Amino acid sequence: MSCHTLSTLPLFDVAQARAMFCYAQQLAAAQGLVLRATPPEPTTCCGRGCNGCVWEGFFAAATYWREDAVQALAAAGVDA
C-alpha cells in the first residue's frame, strides 16, 4: 500500500472514485489516521451530459480530496 498507488488510481467513473476513497481510508486507518469526509456524490444530475455537469464538480472535488489525503499520508510516513 502506498501513496504512489493512491495518486495513480483512475477517476473516470463513480465506482473508481469509491474504490480510491476506500483505498485511501484503508491506508489512513493502518496509520491510525482519520481523513476528512469524502465529497458527496451528486443526486441532481439530469443525465443530458451538460457542460459543467454536477459529476464534473464531483470528480474535481474527488481529485482535490485525493491530493489532500496523499499529503496527509505522506506526512504520516506512508511510503511514496
Side-chain angles (χ1 to χ4, degrees):
M1 295 181 132
S2 71
C3 288
H4 175 72
T5 301
L6 175 60
S7 65
T8 59
L9 289 173
L11 287 175
F12 297 119
D13 62 33
V14 72
Q16 291 172 331
R18 288 176 186 153
M20 182 274 296
F21 294 145
C22 183
Y23 183 74
Q25 290 167 335
Q26 288 174 350
L27 284 173
Q31 297 296 315
L33 299 174
V34 176
L35 300 174
R36 65 183 173 86
T38 60
E41 293 178 21
T43 59
T44 59
C45 179
C46 66
R48 291 184 276 176
C50 303
N51 186 22
C53 177
V54 294
W55 285 104
E56 290 176 22
F58 170 76
F59 288 114
T63 299
Y64 178 78
W65 184 94
R66 173 172 54 191
E67 292 168 359
D68 190 48
V70 166
Q71 287 180 344
L73 291 164
V78 174
D79 293 331

